[in-house]
Amino acid sequence: MQAERVWGRRWSENTLVMARKYMEVACRKQTLVCLAADRNTMAGLFELIEKVGSSIAALKTHVDLVDDWTAESWDRFCKAAQDADLLIFEDRKFADIGGISRKQMAGVYNIRAWSDLVTAHLISGPDIVDGLQAGWSDVGRNGGVLLLAQMSSRGNLLKPEYTSQVVAKGKAHEGVFGFIGNGSRPEELALLREAVGDGKLIWTPGVNLAVGDGEMGQRYGDPREAVLAGSDCIIVGSGIHKAENPAQQAQAYAEASWNALIERNK
Ligand code: 5BU
């Protein structure tokens, strides 16, 4: 099977349903790109799926930044994402105690009903992962939590000591899909991969073909270098959605990430 061959130990050491689903989608579409779909209108979001859906494996959302959000239009948007063979990843960065996080998976946005993945800080302790998993169970669905082990933004407070505790606790938890690492610093990422081993995935924001500083403290590193340092998915936002030709750019990121995965395996 192609996914097993391409992903090697990442596949054999990771049996989480959602992790394997991602690895299969990535192989089918030959891309390790997650698009950060940071558009604030529903029309803008639909346009992104239509233009770049075939070059990406997952769609990362911030459901609370859409100006004209309605439950009905979001439902259609999620169906379009599923039809385009995309995992849906709500970057909600949950951080509360377990019981409240479970409730926050419901509410107006009802994140548990449509997300395949969510992000969480481990600042409140490991019960947050149980709370989020209970949220998906409440509606009979499966999902995976990505824990923030590092961040891409300048001056963030996720220092190495904190990172290693997140990794130690996260590695031991079945409900953890993987970790967010800093895509802008390959050397930090390589250390994270060493600590994580092969049993969990690492996804990385802070990636752009134009490396350097971004808006308001964002930092960018090169997609190929991020994958070679141990990233399993590059999260790219403005590099694609603000490009003059988003379809062409998405394909460039797809090729850079996929070729780097093949190179990593040699
Ligand atoms: P950009 O346009 O490629 O800079 O978008 C990056 C996206 O990744 C954006 O949606 C952020 O919320 C998200 N992000 C990040 O940039 N850095 C982090 O450490 C984390 C998430 Br966690």
Side-chain angles (χ1 to χ4, degrees):
M1 181 204 214
Q2 200 203 7
E4 197 170 351
R5 190 164 38 80
V6 170
W7 288 99
R9 290 175 57 186
R10 291 278 208 286
W11 177 273
S12 55
E13 292 192 19
N14 196 330
T15 51
L16 191 76
V17 175
M18 201 52 75
R20 288 201 160 179
K21 187 171 170 191
Y22 166 68
M23 289 188 264
E24 283 176 339
V25 173
C27 281
R28 253 194 313 275
K29 301 172 89 173
Q30 305 213 333
T31 174
L32 308 189
V33 178
C34 170
L35 172 69
D38 297 329
R39 290 256 177 100
N40 63 331
T41 63
M42 289 307 306
L45 287 168
F46 277 108
E47 187 195 29
L48 280 177
I49 295 190
E50 196 185 309
K51 286 198 169 147
V52 312
S54 60
S55 302
I56 62 176
L59 195 65
K60 187 175 86 60
T61 55
H62 284 296
V63 66
D64 53 353
L65 64 67
V66 182
D67 294 333
D68 56 351
W69 186 93
T70 63
E72 184 275 323
S73 58
W74 195 257
D75 201 36
R76 275 192 294 116
F77 172 69
C78 291
K79 286 208 175 69
Q82 283 153 5
D83 289 347
D85 200 13
L86 298 170
L87 264 65
I88 307 177
F89 167 23
E90 169 59 23
D91 189 7
R92 170 65 177 69
K93 300 183 182 72
F94 290 95
D96 214 312
I97 58 171
I100 293 299
S101 299
R102 179 184 194 165
K103 290 183 178 171
Q104 289 174 317
M105 284 286 269
V108 176
Y109 294 122
N110 208 15
I111 294 169
R112 61 189 182 174
W114 48 266
S115 64
D116 298 310
L117 300 165
V118 298
T119 37
H121 286 285
L122 208 62
I123 194 81
S124 61
D127 290 294
I128 189 169
V129 181
D130 298 318
L132 296 170
Q133 285 294 346
W136 279 305
S137 297
D138 289 339
V139 289
R141 294 188 72 247
N142 236 306
V145 177
L146 276 155
L147 292 175
L148 276 76
Q150 296 175 335
M151 289 191 76
S152 64
S153 45
R154 184 173 60 196
N156 73 74
L157 304 180
L158 282 64
K159 302 294 179 215
E161 164 63 15
Y162 177 84
T163 300
S164 59
Q165 291 206 40
V166 171
V167 170
K169 292 192 168 71
K171 265 167 85 166
H173 204 303
E174 268 202 329
V176 173
F177 171 94
F179 300 94
I180 294 290
N182 176 7
S184 76
R185 294 289 181 275
E187 59 288 358
E188 278 179 31
L189 201 49
L191 290 174
L192 179 64
R193 173 51 73 194
E194 210 180 296
V196 169
D198 285 307
K200 300 280 185 196
L201 299 175
I202 297 178
W203 285 30
T204 53
V207 170
N208 200 299
L209 284 164
V211 301
D213 289 338
E215 267 180 10
M216 302 186 108
Q218 176 68 303
R219 300 172 298 182
Y220 292 117
D222 177 70
R224 173 176 167 270
E225 281 184 33
V227 174
L228 292 181
S231 168
D232 300 309
C233 180
I234 53 166
I235 299 172
V236 183
S238 41
I240 294 174
H241 67 76
K242 283 200 180 147
E244 227 168 86
N245 187 334
Q248 202 177 58
Q249 274 309 92
Q251 191 49 33
Y253 282 97
E255 282 167 24
S257 61
W258 180 256
N259 291 341
L261 178 64
I262 304 298
E263 185 180 346
R264 185 168 90 187
N265 287 336
K266 281 189 182 146

